[in-house]
Amino acid sequence: MPFDSDLTACAALVQKADPDRFRATMAAPVAARPVLFALYAFNVEVARAPWVTQEAMIAEMRLQWWRDALEEIAKGGIVRRHEVVTPLAHALDADAARALDRLVAARRWDIYRDPFEDAAHFDSYLADTSGELMWAAAQALGAGAEAEAPVRAFGTATGLARFLQAVPELEAQKRVPLVDGRAEAIAALCREALSSLPTRAALRRAAGPGAPALTEGFLTQAILKQAARDPGRVAAGALQINPARQSFLLWRWS
């Protein structure tokens, strides 16, 4: 995929709205960056669609627009001209486009103020958003079927880390972000996520050529360990890794 004006726009979008994924992409091999920027820009657009309006119907229409675009990509015919959709169509095959429809559908939760029904609903939200995105990126870069389970697991854990960082803002928006917001429940949730993760080396071996897709999770384990040790940091908005540590972790993962 040539790095044209569309991909430049995707990169600028990711840089502004998702700096961690932007840094991870810039640390990836040059050949992987077009795929990653296209997918991460798509994720930015979908993730913010429910939040740019107070009208639920308009938010639903915005998400449906992206579902329609993915359907066009999956069918392999004419795809609408758009600075994100156009490079995304080059990055995805039909199966990946259909799978990403689950990501868009899961974002409907963001439109409304209903809490998650239960722990299974919360887990599926993380799996269908962050887990699906990481697997789509790894697959687009050449990861084989044997990598799907560990990559999805790491993507879901990355989603949990990011979600915990967003809890104060969600609460400010009058949302109920966690099924159980007690400190001991948050600590247990993080410990469970950490215990299920393969090692970094095992993840990279499994992903093979798709390994650059893992780098976006370079802060995942550090954030989850911090929350497990001191769950009060979640409500306080204090889940932060100092810049020097961030740079070291990015270097290790890349």
Side-chain angles (χ1 to χ4, degrees):
M1 232 196 311
F3 213 95
D4 56 13
S5 59
D6 287 337
L7 278 170
T8 300
C10 287
L13 179 61
V14 176
Q15 183 178 23
K16 181 178 180 180
D18 196 345
D20 286 347
R21 286 193 175 102
F22 178 81
R23 292 173 64 194
T25 304
M26 293 305 294
V30 173
R33 292 177 193 173
V35 168
L36 296 176
F37 275 134
L39 276 162
Y40 296 161
F42 158 78
N43 185 62
V44 167
E45 293 278 27
V46 172
R48 72 183 183 182
W51 300 97
V52 295
T53 176
Q54 297 295 317
E55 297 293 333
M57 183 61 69
I58 295 175
E60 290 273 15
M61 291 171 62
R62 287 177 178 272
L63 290 181
Q64 186 60 49
W65 190 94
W66 286 100
R67 299 185 79 174
D68 293 343
L70 289 171
E71 184 178 4
E72 291 170 2
I73 294 172
K75 287 180 176 178
I78 297 174
V79 177
R80 63 193 64 190
R81 175 74 183 89
H82 184 270
E83 64 184 14
V84 176
V85 177
T86 301
L88 188 67
H90 293 293
L92 301 178
D93 62 18
D95 289 341
R98 294 188 184 97
L100 281 176
D101 182 72
R102 290 194 293 270
L103 183 155
V104 184
R107 287 292 180 183
R108 293 186 67 246
W109 181 86
D110 297 342
I111 297 174
Y112 304 100
R113 297 186 184 277
D114 300 329
F116 290 106
E117 297 168 7
D118 50 29
H121 184 199
F122 180 60
D123 290 344
S124 68
Y125 173 86
L126 298 177
D128 290 345
T129 52
S130 295
E132 194 69 63
L133 180 67
M134 187 175 286
W135 172 238
Q139 193 176 32
L141 293 173
E146 69 281 357
E148 182 171 1
V151 170
R152 283 185 180 275
F154 185 51
T156 301
T158 297
L160 174 59
R162 288 170 174 266
F163 193 90
L164 291 176
Q165 288 181 302
V167 161
E169 177 59 28
L170 289 168
E171 290 179 337
Q173 296 290 334
K174 308 301 182 184
R175 306 298 298 271
V176 182
L178 296 171
V179 177
D180 188 342
R182 294 174 303 153
E184 56 268 31
I186 292 172
L189 183 66
C190 294
R191 287 195 297 267
E192 182 181 359
L194 287 165
S195 67
S196 67
L197 287 181
T199 65
R200 177 176 55 86
L203 275 166
R204 292 182 66 84
R205 282 196 301 271
L214 303 171
T215 306
E216 62 140 314
F218 68 102
L219 297 178
T220 297
Q221 289 174 306
I223 290 171
L224 292 179
K225 286 179 180 179
Q226 192 176 88
R229 287 193 306 268
D230 185 1
R233 285 177 172 265
V234 174
L239 287 180
Q240 298 173 353
I241 310 300
N242 71 66
R245 177 72 172 162
Q246 286 189 32
S247 297
F248 172 73
L249 292 171
L250 178 59
W251 171 78
R252 286 191 70 200
W253 275 95
S254 63

